[in-house]
């Protein structure tokens, strides 16, 4: 069947991957949108550029031991102000799995200064980990995660509590836990590093 113009547009834009402000994908999407407007015969088509502050992510990694090989993780930029970064030497502490992050899920676990693994379906329960003294949190993404599961974790207050996410299969393979995790301490001295900072980037708006 012939692809509809709408489906063609969706496929083209999706092919650019990350289209966050300032990314290569965003610039490619702007070029494509402008070209479509021009092809449709509009007399006036153009763009204006502006500087926009964004949180630029360079690298985030988890090590089960400081000397162990790293596992790449992604930042959850779910705070409107705090960039969610860590000191240059990172953060070290026990890596614990707390399921959905209910208070009872932390029973028997040493949460103070810990790096907490929590299910993506845990809603606002990251607050329990923060209030119990955890240093950072990593969500486990089990695939097909819908946008609302990211949005329900957004926080307006500038709390300094870095949060990240990682695909479940990558984490389980890295930890040699193909069967998954139970409520337990995964590593006694894990190490987390992350580089995220505010910076100005060039954004583009298309008009016609």
């Amino acid at each position: 069947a012939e692809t509809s113009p709408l489906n063609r547009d969706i496929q083209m834009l999706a092919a650019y991957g990350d289209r966050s402000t300032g990314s290569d994908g965003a610039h490619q999407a702007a070029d494509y949108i402008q070209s479509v407007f021009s092809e449709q015969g509009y007399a006036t088509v153009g763009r204006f550029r502006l500087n926009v502050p964004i949180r630029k992510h360079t690298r985030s990694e988890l090590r089960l031991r400081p000397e162990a090989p790293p596992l790449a993780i992604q930042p959850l930029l779910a705070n409107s102000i705090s960039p969610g970064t860590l000191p240059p030497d990172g953060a070290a502490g026990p890596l614990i799995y707390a399921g959905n992050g209910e208070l009872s899920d932390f029973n028997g676990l040493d949460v103070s200064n810990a790096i907490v693994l929590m299910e993506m379906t845990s809603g606002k329960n990251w607050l329990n980990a923060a209030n119990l003294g955890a240093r950072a949190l990593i969500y486990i993404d089990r695939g097909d995660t819908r946008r609302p599961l990211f949005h329900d974790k957004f926080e307006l207050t500038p709390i300094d509590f870095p949060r990240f996410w990682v695909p479940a299969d990558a984490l389980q393979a890295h930890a040699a836990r193909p069967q998954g995790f139970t409520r337990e301490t995964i590593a006694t001295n894990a190490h987390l590093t992350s580089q995220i900072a505010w910076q100005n980037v060039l954004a583009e708006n298309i008009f016609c």
Side-chain angles (χ1 to χ4, degrees):
E2 184 177 348
T3 302
S4 70
L6 176 60
N7 283 334
R8 182 197 66 177
D9 291 340
I10 291 172
Q11 291 169 5
M12 287 295 297
L13 293 172
Y16 298 138
D18 177 18
R19 299 184 306 281
S20 57
T21 302
S23 67
D24 289 340
H27 295 308
Q28 290 174 320
D31 290 341
Y32 176 71
I33 292 169
Q34 184 171 357
S35 71
V36 169
F37 285 154
S38 296
E39 289 170 4
Q40 292 176 346
Y42 291 103
T44 303
V45 180
R47 66 178 74 192
F48 63 88
R49 296 173 172 85
L50 63 160
N51 280 317
V52 177
I54 66 161
R55 283 167 290 188
K56 181 68 174 179
H57 173 241
T58 304
R59 176 179 55 87
S60 297
E61 295 175 338
L62 171 70
R63 299 172 189 265
L64 299 186
R65 301 176 308 280
E67 71 281 4
L71 171 66
I73 59 177
Q74 296 299 318
L76 189 81
L77 301 178
N79 191 290
S80 62
I81 299 175
S82 174
T85 193
L86 292 166
D89 58 350
L95 178 69
I96 63 175
Y97 174 72
N100 276 319
E102 301 291 342
L103 286 174
S104 59
D105 290 327
F106 292 97
N107 288 344
L109 296 173
D110 184 6
V111 189
S112 180
N113 290 316
I115 302 166
V116 178
L117 295 173
M118 192 178 289
E119 296 293 333
M120 188 67 83
T121 53
S122 56
K124 290 285 189 181
N125 286 343
W126 65 270
L127 289 166
N128 291 334
N131 289 333
L132 290 170
R135 183 65 185 88
L137 186 146
I138 304 172
Y139 291 105
I140 300 174
D141 178 14
R142 299 197 178 275
D144 197 28
T145 300
R146 302 297 183 183
R147 193 180 184 95
L149 288 182
F150 286 91
H151 280 188
D152 70 1
K153 297 165 179 60
F154 193 81
E155 177 62 31
L156 290 172
T157 56
I159 183 172
D160 183 18
F161 188 63
R163 288 179 286 160
F164 306 86
W165 64 275
V166 64
D169 54 356
L171 177 64
Q172 289 172 196
H174 188 75
R177 299 287 187 91
Q179 76 282 6
F181 306 103
T182 58
R183 189 169 53 84
E184 60 181 318
T185 299
I186 308 300
T188 57
N189 190 24
H191 190 240
L192 185 63
T193 56
S194 182
Q195 296 176 359
I196 310 169
W198 286 102
Q199 72 175 55
N200 282 327
V201 298
L202 189 66
E204 299 171 303
N205 281 346
I206 310 302
F207 63 85
C208 81

